[in-house]
Amino acid sequence: MIAYIEPYFLDNDADAASAATAAGKSTDAVSESLDIEGEILCGGATADIAGKDFGGMNCVKPLAVVRPVGPEDIAGAVKAALRSDQLTVAARGNGHSINGQAMAEGGLVIDMRSTAENHFEVGFLSGGGTAFVDVSGGALWENVLKRCVSEYGLAPRSWTDYLGLTVGGTLSNAGVSGQAFRYGPQTENVTELDVVTGNGDFVTCSEMENSELFFSVLGGLGQFGIITRARVLLQPAPHMVRWIRVVYAEFDEFTRDAEWLVSQKDESSFDYVEGFVFVNGDDPANGWPTVPLHPDHDFDPTRLPQSSGSVLYCLELALHYRDSDSNSTVDKRVDRLIGRLSFNEGLRFEVDLPYVDFLLRVKRSEEIAKVNGTWETPHPWLNLFVSKRDIGDFDRTVFKELVKNGVGGPMLVYPLLRSRWDDRTSVVLPEGEIFYIVALLRFVPPCAKASSVEKMVVQNQEIVQWCVKNGIDFKLYLPHYKSREKWIRHFGNRWSRFVDRKAMFDPMAILSPGQKIFNRAP
Ligand code: FAD
């Protein structure tokens, strides 16, 4: 049935009136052939829901958007695609990808948000007493946080900076923030998954049960299965956070301190370590004003050494504490750690805030960006992992030259430890124990011309090409390649494992076509 209606949809977008009629008929036809309980949307509405993403640079038309009630509906959609000649299926979390990764041109997009409320059960791992929460793959992390803290006083251990992302979406990549140096990425903090594979099977998997599927799906770019439930490890939620920023003029001092902090034992460091590069100037979007944490704080550039260059570096730290901890106890713990660091005196900023507000800090930036229009404009972002060996070269060429005037948004750079990442997942990393995440989070003003977005995309390509040409040990994070040759280079010696996993769990290459790694098998 799907095979019969597929061409009908793809050819039928001529004029609005006939499209509307077609949409009505087609919805009925698709509903019949899919035989699922949830909602099915066809026609114009699908482009609004699933035809674009946060990146804003891709636009494709799916055949239909499916809002599943549960895993049976998802399996039903996958099986319908298996019976067809060319249909594909993409799980869509919150559509916060940059390069169309959650899209399916002419295929079925599964809007996972409709399943957000399907799971929320807190329990304890047998033996250890470690708490966990079972949540839906379509749940937003911000809602997981709020419920865990308010109902149980517990919280997941590893986060992303921004929490308007789904559990399934970040687990398909890695999920990285300032806690990852201690707990590893989010993919290291789940112990069990329910997954609908590309064979249409519904499988529970963990390190002990169906482990090949478990590790394939984690960081698997949606290629092996659709996560419908994840068991996420929890810790007691701290009440408060001391949030601190300190400024460096020299990159090697910044990296030395950051690497020292992430290499300390658990109780001997901050609970969160990140960093960013900013422009040495008063530009409100890229320079000094981006550093202070409170309107009363003032960035005093006279505190900078004469030798300061075009860009400066900021280490961002946080220490968790409880309501019952006195101010002097917190001060002492902070001073003990910060006394070891060699940032520029006088350029230290700090505030105390509730833990939940700290984790939701990017929400405020989202609100501002929505008001000034930059949340809706394209986001040609570039995310990389660069090995410690090459981060100095990267600084000299990329930060100090190519993006020395800023990118209109944050330029993150902070170290992570490879030993916190399980090699069995599908994520690929540079060599060496310490590597840096680099994120050029470009924001484009609404008045900008299309050509300026193109220039940013070209600059991203230049940075990647420079890395390749100069033998920089790097991997793209949230990767995006268009040719098989580049995907093979990306995965390196993990490519054959990735291909074998695909053959096992999605042999017809139905899942996540927007990643452009495999072509749908006829
Ligand atoms: P989508 O974009 O909808 O999907 C991403 C991929 O996962 C697609 O291939 C899709 O098919 C697949 N997928 C989605 N749901 C499932 C599922 N249930 N099962 C299997 N596959 C699925 N990342 C970080 O690591 N750290 C950060 O701090 C961070 N901050 C960000 C801030 C912003 C403002 C934005 C826009 C992105 C940020 N990201 C960050 C990147 C983010 O983690 C990824 O883009 C993530 O994929 C987005 O989640 P999503 O739910 O929107 O997924």
Side-chain angles (χ1 to χ4, degrees):
M1 183 68 165
I2 284 276
Y4 158 72
I5 54 175
E6 207 168 357
Y8 168 74
F9 281 109
L10 296 176
D11 296 343
N12 204 354
D13 57 353
D15 64 59
S18 69
T21 323
K25 281 188 198 153
S26 12
T27 305
D28 292 346
V30 175
S31 305
E32 230 171 81
S33 60
L34 284 178
D35 188 24
I36 66 165
E37 221 186 302
E39 195 185 356
I40 297 168
L41 301 167
C42 294
T46 59
D48 291 340
I49 301 164
K52 49 191 182 186
D53 61 15
F54 184 79
M57 295 174 293
N58 289 265
C59 185
V60 305
K61 272 192 187 167
L63 171 64
V65 173
V66 177
R67 292 199 162 130
V69 166
E72 299 78 14
D73 282 356
I74 298 172
V78 171
K79 283 179 185 158
L82 278 169
R83 290 193 300 272
S84 80
D85 282 345
Q86 50 176 323
L87 263 191
T88 54
V89 175
R92 180 182 167 93
N94 209 21
H96 276 45
S97 290
I98 297 301
N99 293 292
Q101 285 95 333
M103 295 181 187
E105 189 162 16
L108 302 175
V109 173
I110 313 284
D111 180 359
M112 294 300 291
R113 295 291 312 281
S114 65
T115 66
E117 304 294 325
N118 285 11
H119 298 279
F120 189 85
E121 297 96 35
V122 168
F124 293 90
L125 293 183
S126 56
T130 307
F132 65 77
V133 62
D134 280 340
V135 288
S136 165
L140 287 184
W141 282 108
E142 63 188 30
N143 295 335
V144 174
L145 167 72
K146 287 177 194 162
R147 281 194 73 178
C148 284
V149 174
S150 66
E151 294 176 26
Y152 295 93
L154 297 168
R157 314 184 305 181
S158 186
W159 293 100
T160 46
D161 294 343
Y162 170 70
L163 306 190
L165 311 167
T166 64
V167 169
T170 67
L171 291 180
S172 298
N173 286 291
V176 184
S177 184
Q179 306 82 10
F181 75 94
R182 178 169 299 161
Y183 298 111
Q186 292 181 314
T187 43
E188 295 298 311
N189 290 275
V190 289
T191 60
E192 191 177 285
L193 301 171
D194 283 344
V195 172
V196 174
T197 69
N199 293 314
D201 299 325
F202 177 65
V203 184
T204 298
C205 57
S206 66
E207 186 173 5
M208 307 306 286
E209 188 188 1
N210 299 308
S211 61
E212 190 64 25
L213 178 62
F214 181 70
F215 290 115
S216 301
V217 166
L218 294 171
L221 308 175
Q223 295 304 301
F224 310 108
I226 297 178
I227 302 167
T228 60
R229 177 186 62 94
R231 178 160 289 181
V232 181
L233 294 178
L234 301 174
Q235 64 182 7
H239 298 131
M240 295 290 292
V241 167
R242 170 89 40 105
W243 183 13
I244 304 167
R245 286 181 176 169
V246 291
V247 172
Y248 295 77
E250 300 300 332
F251 190 64
D252 56 352
E253 287 176 0
F254 163 81
T255 53
R256 194 169 53 231
D257 282 355
E259 289 175 19
W260 179 78
L261 285 167
V262 301
S263 307
Q264 297 307 296
K265 290 217 169 64
D266 283 7
E267 292 307 309
S268 322
S269 191
F270 287 97
D271 296 294
Y272 163 103
V273 178
E274 284 205 5
F276 60 92
V277 186
F278 63 101
V279 173
N280 189 5
D282 60 4
D283 175 356
N286 298 293
W288 306 324
T290 60
V291 179
L293 291 167
H294 191 273
D296 291 345
H297 293 165
D298 202 21
F299 189 104
D300 178 3
T302 64
R303 299 296 198 130
L304 291 167
Q306 294 284 322
S307 58
S308 302
S310 54
V311 293
L312 302 167
Y313 310 92
C314 179
L315 202 52
E316 181 172 78
L317 312 162
L319 190 81
H320 296 167
Y321 63 93
R322 305 194 68 76
D323 280 342
S324 53
D325 292 328
S326 69
N327 263 349
S328 64
T329 312
V330 180
D331 289 348
K332 259 190 227 151
R333 282 169 62 199
V334 168
D335 288 346
R336 188 172 47 83
L337 288 167
I338 228 159
R340 301 282 301 261
L341 308 182
S342 48
F343 56 92
N344 286 104
E345 282 301 322
L347 292 174
R348 167 178 168 180
F349 306 90
E350 55 194 72
V351 289
D352 290 274
L353 74 172
Y355 173 69
V356 171
D357 292 1
F358 173 72
L359 287 181
L360 292 175
R361 63 200 179 281
V362 181
K363 190 95 191 156
R364 284 194 295 280
S365 312
E366 175 184 355
E367 282 156 10
I368 294 167
K370 279 186 174 161
V371 171
N372 70 27
T374 57
W375 196 256
E376 304 306 327
T377 50
H379 301 99
W381 287 9
L382 179 66
N383 290 271
L384 310 108
F385 296 135
V386 180
S387 77
K388 168 184 158 81
R389 187 195 75 186
D390 294 327
I391 197 68
D393 281 348
F394 192 91
D395 169 58
R396 277 184 289 278
T397 302
V398 179
F399 295 143
K400 288 199 172 82
E401 291 299 330
L402 294 175
V403 297
K404 65 180 176 196
N405 297 320
V407 297
M411 300 192 284
L412 306 183
V413 55
Y414 57 92
L416 296 164
L417 304 178
R418 198 174 207 267
S419 50
R420 298 276 191 257
W421 299 58
D422 195 319
D423 261 2
R424 294 171 292 179
T425 71
S426 294
V427 183
V428 285
L429 299 173
E431 295 301 321
E433 169 62 354
I434 296 181
F435 63 97
Y436 281 75
I437 181 162
V438 173
L440 303 181
L441 308 181
R442 301 172 187 270
F443 280 82
V444 178
C447 56
K449 293 192 183 127
S451 61
S452 65
V453 177
E454 275 159 34
K455 272 188 199 150
M456 293 180 196
V457 173
V458 168
Q459 191 178 56
N460 287 344
Q461 288 163 352
E462 277 167 11
I463 293 170
V464 174
Q465 276 158 15
W466 174 83
C467 288
V468 173
K469 212 167 137 204
N470 289 279
I472 299 294
D473 181 17
F474 84 104
K475 297 288 178 194
L476 283 191
Y477 176 49
L478 314 168
H480 158 63
Y481 290 114
K482 285 185 184 150
S483 75
R484 173 163 276 235
E485 180 205 345
K486 288 183 177 162
W487 278 114
I488 294 173
R489 190 185 65 212
H490 172 75
F491 283 102
N493 60 13
R494 297 289 155 84
W495 173 246
S496 59
R497 184 181 74 177
F498 201 78
V499 171
D500 290 348
R501 288 175 164 181
K502 188 73 175 172
M504 217 180 303
F505 301 119
D506 182 24
M508 303 304 281
I510 280 169
L511 298 177
S512 271
Q515 298 278 4
K516 298 196 166 50
I517 307 174
F518 299 101
N519 293 323
R520 169 74 161 92

